Amino acid sequence: MAAWFVRALWMGLLHGAVQTGVAAVGVRSPEATSVRPIALVLLVVAAVLWGAVDALRDLDGRGMQWFVASLVAGPFAGALGVIGSALLVDQTGQEALWVALTGGAAFTALLVLAPAGLGMLLGSFLAKKNAASQQP
């Protein structure tokens, strides 16, 4: 299976599930205003860690793989979020799908790509530092 597909699948599932969870908390407990920032931090941390692991493993073409994965994960997460909200939270209709597949998908793609890029940068820095410290 292609590496970008695995990244797109897991990041799309994660983002769609978090979107549905945040919507559910917002409907059931409107006073819980700290849920959305915490969810965003968790999504960013997941992408940073995965990007860093890719850099530490010295994966070939990791930047392009993350780019393609973010482009696929955006609309996938948007569709999953709308479906999850419609089935589990409220009566979200098909009118929400267009917004999720355009603006929401673009935001999700950036929320996957930018932290993964930061993680790859940090992972490369750590790998170089580790290699330099191991040389006599």
Side-chain angles (χ1 to χ4, degrees):
M1 195 177 314
W4 65 265
F5 181 76
V6 173
R7 284 165 184 73
L9 178 69
W10 283 108
M11 293 306 283
L13 284 172
L14 179 65
H15 280 259
V18 167
Q19 179 182 352
T20 302
V22 167
V25 169
V27 166
R28 288 171 180 69
S29 188
E31 69 279 352
T33 58
S34 62
V35 173
R36 186 175 306 272
I38 291 170
L40 284 173
V41 167
L42 291 175
L43 292 172
V44 166
V45 166
V48 167
L49 289 176
W50 199 345
V53 167
D54 283 352
L56 288 171
R57 289 179 37 214
D58 198 26
L59 186 67
D60 288 335
R62 60 188 172 266
M64 185 56 78
Q65 289 178 7
W66 274 106
F67 177 71
V68 173
S70 69
L71 292 180
V72 173
F76 180 57
L80 283 178
V82 169
I83 291 168
S85 293
L87 295 175
L88 302 173
V89 179
D90 55 14
Q91 299 298 319
T92 301
Q94 68 183 12
E95 68 278 353
L97 189 59
W98 180 248
V99 175
L101 293 178
T102 55
F107 178 71
T108 302
L110 284 174
L111 197 56
V112 170
L113 185 60
L118 177 63
M120 288 185 287
L121 183 68
L122 292 173
S124 296
F125 176 73
L126 290 174
K128 288 177 186 175
K129 188 176 180 180
N130 189 23
S133 68
Q134 296 211 358
Q135 290 181 354

